[in-house]
Amino acid sequence: MKLTDDLKKNIEIIEKNLNVGNTFDMLARIVDVHNTKFYLYYLDGFIKDTNLEYVRRDMYNLKKEHFNSIKSANELIEKALSSIEASTDDDVDSLVKAVLSGQTIMLGPWKEAIVLDFRTYPARGIDEPNKEKVLRGAHDGFVETIVFNTALIRRRIRDPHLVFEMHSIGSISKTDVAVGYISDKIKPDELKKINDMIENLNIKSLTLGDQSFVESINSKSWVTPFPKIRYTERPDVAAAQLVEGSIIIIIDNTPSILILPTTVFSFLQSVDDYYLPVLTGNYLKLIRIVVLIANLFLTPVYVLLTDNPSWLMNFAGGFFSFLLPKDSYNIPIFFQFIIGEFAIDGLKLASLNTPDSLGTSLSIIGGLILGDYAVQTGWFTPQTILYMAIVALTSFVQPSVELSYAFKFTRLILLLLTGIFGTLGFIAGIIINTIIIATTKTITGDSYLYPLIPFDRAKLLKLIFRWKKEVDNK
């Protein structure tokens, strides 16, 4: 629907679509300038009163004869308004969306309305994200306002090839979603696939922000536990990924930035590795890889050893036999580990909902009382408590919560099959998990194991080890 030459009719159309008079925060203001009335519509809470005062002041500063010579909305913007962000539009749907997004529209005696951007969204400070803290380097983080987030990236990448394409998603929420990339770094086919996914979305709202978006574009592959999208709340990480040719997606109302396409090796990187010397960074990367492997295999291998104690007895003269439980136990070891997996997740959920003032009490109850009495009553062996504690701690060596739970699910598959079928079950579990990760594809349909499959030696070494920085003098 378009605006007409009839101001009265335009007012009726706009006020009907904006529900003026039925909601307290939808405001209308009439400004009479030299016997010509202008009608302003805006949402309370999104603009400052002083900004509207500037509009009225600008128009009144024009002499009457000059003002009466203005014949269009564009002329008014050029000759009277000092607002930097001002444009015209005659599409009713676009005007309604502009107001609901926090902008101000002004109807006058012309067919087009003036759109003024005076938005001042409520926003918190750009504090460092709790999940991605670093010892050195930048300590700022993304916030829930999309414009602030693009500015934090622009501050780091001053390249005219950096592009942010804006999309509107959700028939109800109409959430702003920006796709960011460096045009001479990305693969055009990957960008096209991602834009097609966004354009073909048919959903009502993105009320849960990034998670609603991910589930919408990745609904057909919910079975695999491995994450296909990497999240970050750090502007330096997002900027680095853009320079490497990745695509980022910024969703309004959420501080998490989506990085894609993402392979499993992308999660082995940490920003701390690059803020430290090369040798130290590579050491930390190596430790992270070893710990992640231990996190996956520690408890299943221990179950396998307790089922085959002769292996330890005959190895190295029985030196490692101390690893075996000395006391009898009532519950099978593998089942103890499974109970421990659920118990740790239960404690994590309890800690999330525990007020800070009661956090110490939760630690005492969960760590001391439950653990100690679980051993004394025969539910768990001391070794089970020890190894589950190691597993719980090693799950925090990399920042991705999604990858931590992917490892948890693969570990549970290994535990179950090893506990029930022994050695054959352990081998079957490795095969099943290998098939799952090998058949997983990235969000753009490429191999999830790249650059291992297909093999790219240079790329693989770059992901696993950090070399000295190359200087591009071209």
Side-chain angles (χ1 to χ4, degrees), residues 67-78:
F67 184 83
N68 291 336
S69 66
I70 295 175
K71 302 300 180 183
S72 68
N74 275 318
E75 280 191 50
L76 182 65
I77 292 174
E78 294 171 0

Side-chain angles (χ1 to χ4, degrees), residues 20-155:
V20 176
N22 294 324
T23 175
F24 81 93
D25 57 344
M26 183 62 69
L27 303 180
R29 170 74 188 274
I30 301 175
V31 176
D32 193 332
V33 181
H34 302 306
N35 298 321
T36 301
K37 290 186 177 181
F38 294 88
Y39 297 78
L40 288 84
Y41 299 92
Y42 55 93
L43 277 172
D44 193 14
F46 278 163
I47 67 169
K48 294 181 179 179
D49 295 341
T50 51
N51 291 336
L52 291 183
E53 171 60 24
Y54 294 151
V55 175
R56 187 196 64 80
R57 182 201 60 190
D58 290 342
M59 291 193 293
Y60 266 109
N61 283 341
L62 275 183
K63 294 182 179 180
K64 186 174 182 179
E65 57 272 18
H66 293 161
F67 184 83
N68 291 336
S69 66
I70 295 175
K71 302 300 180 183
S72 68
N74 275 318
E75 280 191 50
L76 182 65
I77 292 174
E78 294 171 0
K79 296 181 178 180
L81 300 181
S82 60
S83 304
I84 295 176
E85 296 187 59
S87 61
T88 61
D89 201 337
D90 63 350
D91 184 77
V92 174
D93 291 337
S94 297
L95 293 171
V96 170
K97 180 185 174 184
V99 175
L100 295 176
S101 298
Q103 300 181 72
T104 302
I105 65 171
M106 183 168 65
L107 299 180
W110 308 294
K111 188 178 180 179
E112 292 181 320
I114 296 175
V115 182
L116 303 166
D117 197 343
F118 294 138
R119 284 178 287 190
T120 55
Y121 288 137
R124 60 183 176 86
I126 53 173
D127 300 324
E128 184 178 21
N130 290 327
K131 194 70 175 66
E132 299 178 84
K133 288 187 176 181
V134 292
L135 296 175
R136 295 173 57 191
H139 293 281
D140 54 352
F142 289 124
V143 294
E144 287 77 9
T145 308
I146 194 170
V147 177
F148 290 2
N149 293 341
T150 56
L152 287 171
I153 296 174
R154 289 278 185 189
R155 188 179 178 188

Side-chain angles (χ1 to χ4, degrees), residues 442-461:
T442 65
I443 203 74
T444 55
D446 299 319
S447 172
Y448 193 61
L449 292 175
Y450 177 80
L452 181 62
I453 301 175
F455 184 70
D456 186 335
R457 180 177 175 273
K459 185 76 172 179
L460 183 62
L461 289 176

